[in-house]
Amino acid sequence: MERYEKNEYRLPWRLAQNQIRASGGREMDRFRGITPPTDRPNGAEAWVGSVTRANGATPENPNLGCAEVLLPDGRRRYLFEAIAAEPELALGQAHLARYGTDLGMLVKLLDAKTPFLLQCHPTRENANRFWNSNYGKEECWYIIGVRDDAPEPPYVLLGFREGVSREGFEQAYRAGDIAALEAMCHKIEVRPGECYFIPGGVPHALGAGCFVAEIQEPSDLTAVPIAQQALLEFRRRANPKGVFVPEDEALYERRMLNSFHYAGASLAATLARCKSAMPLLREEPGGREQEIFGAAQTQCFSCTLVQVHGTFRKTDTHDAQICLILDGSGELVCGGQRMPVRRADEIFFPCAATDVRMEGTFSCILCNPGLSAQYRPHAEETEERIRT
């Protein structure tokens, strides 16, 4: 295995930006400062700090979806390679005991030029039962921006309305009536800065014009209520070079129908459960940190919004973190070095980067595996591993 210097794990790592599939990307380009901003066939999704392989990986591109990292010494490697070289320094002993060298979370950028398919994701229980996976796919959206030329005000579909039944859902599915299936869900107009949690089993879709950061469990398991052949054709259009193998039809339908939770609720109840109130965690002269979602909603991940206006110390979770800079500019000060940051930069904080100051005027999302919300090993343990 290639040798890595332990001191590199004291510092933040810049992540290489990517785009992997589906039509879109203009708003992602605009966010990243790429001109002219352009929609393209594979521009709608970026996988940030990912060690998860996407559906459609091929022998020529077996690491589709996996992020690359720019190490402090200038080398460019897959993040999973850098983690495997020094897993305790990258992730921490407690993280390894729970997740192994898996990151335990996945962050994406999604730019919906056109509406995304109505779908849901399995809970961990259903993922284990029907998909042979230890991870389900609970997730949340932070609305970064919206398209001003969308055909209607940007919206999301989220949660079943009251009175929906499995029987009615199956009937519409077998009839191929997508409009009827979508009408069973709440249609919610969205604005930048809003945040929505999507529990496992809850139907949802991004409407045209939504540009979001998505924080989720690290899987690509999706249940879509359309015929398998139609779904495969959709995925092949979104990723023409991908390999998608049909599965047993009965298994496909069983997985899909059993992934949805057929429990409707009023719009008020859905928003109370799924829309973040952004509670304040701490406020200091140099900045403030608000919770987007945490242990009250899920044990699978947590995320916070940090707004810096001066000097603000990053909360040390004693675990790895992924950071997405939303706007502004500044510096990350750590280990005697300074890393300039600006809007759209993607950063990975190894576990061993235990003392990070944020300086400047910017805001960012900090994303944590579920472990970080529940467990705080002593920082001295990490320091001792670095010394030895």
Side-chain angles (χ1 to χ4, degrees), residues 179-220:
L181 292 169
E182 292 182 345
M184 296 179 185
C185 302
H186 295 289
K187 186 175 183 178
I188 303 167
E189 188 175 333
V190 296
R191 296 173 178 81
E194 294 179 341
C195 313
Y196 295 88
F197 176 61
I198 304 101
V202 170
H204 60 278
L206 290 174
C210 293
F211 175 47
V212 310
E214 181 176 88
I215 301 92
Q216 59 164 92
E217 291 183 76
S219 80
D220 204 13

Side-chain angles (χ1 to χ4, degrees), residues 125-347:
E125 179 184 3
N126 275 354
N128 186 263
R129 181 179 177 186
F130 295 108
W131 304 73
N132 192 31
S133 172
N134 291 327
Y135 291 112
K137 197 180 172 187
E138 288 196 332
E139 60 190 23
C140 71
W141 292 322
Y142 179 95
I143 312 297
I144 298 175
V146 296
R147 295 187 179 221
D148 56 13
D149 58 351
E152 59 180 306
Y155 66 91
V156 299
L157 300 178
L158 182 58
F160 282 127
R161 296 174 180 270
E162 293 174 294
V164 170
S165 66
R166 176 164 178 161
E167 292 73 21
F169 184 88
E170 284 196 39
Q171 183 178 4
Y173 156 67
R174 297 190 190 287
D177 193 341
I178 302 299
L181 292 169
E182 292 182 345
M184 296 179 185
C185 302
H186 295 289
K187 186 175 183 178
I188 303 167
E189 188 175 333
V190 296
R191 296 173 178 81
E194 294 179 341
C195 313
Y196 295 88
F197 176 61
I198 304 101
V202 170
H204 60 278
L206 290 174
C210 293
F211 175 47
V212 310
E214 181 176 88
I215 301 92
Q216 59 164 92
E217 291 183 76
S219 80
D220 204 13
L221 306 179
T222 302
V224 182
I226 61 176
Q228 179 178 199
Q229 187 57 41
L231 179 59
L232 291 174
E233 290 172 2
F234 177 88
R235 287 178 168 170
R236 287 165 182 150
R237 287 195 301 272
N239 180 13
K241 295 182 180 180
V243 175
F244 300 95
V245 180
E247 61 189 17
D248 177 79
E249 285 289 347
L251 175 61
Y252 172 84
E253 189 167 284
R254 185 164 66 251
R255 282 177 169 173
M256 186 274 293
L257 291 173
N258 284 293
S259 289
F260 286 89
H261 289 184
Y262 302 93
S266 67
L267 176 59
T270 299
L271 291 175
R273 181 189 186 193
C274 297
K275 187 176 182 181
S276 178
M278 302 288 286
L280 182 66
L281 296 177
R282 62 186 177 116
E283 186 162 20
E284 300 169 7
R288 66 202 308 257
E289 185 168 17
Q290 296 168 268
E291 183 175 73
I292 299 176
F293 292 109
Q297 291 79 32
T298 179
Q299 300 297 304
C300 298
F301 57 82
S302 64
C303 46
T304 63
L305 175 69
V306 174
Q307 296 167 300
V308 180
H309 45 81
T311 298
F312 192 68
R313 189 178 186 277
K314 183 180 77 69
T315 299
D316 187 2
T317 62
H318 305 292
D319 203 339
Q321 289 182 300
I322 291 174
C323 173
L324 177 65
I325 308 296
L326 293 173
D327 57 47
S329 63
E331 292 182 311
L332 303 177
V333 184
C334 181
Q337 298 192 28
R338 291 177 173 269
M339 174 186 284
V341 294
R342 64 177 182 85
R343 185 180 69 178
D345 280 351
E346 302 166 9
I347 309 297

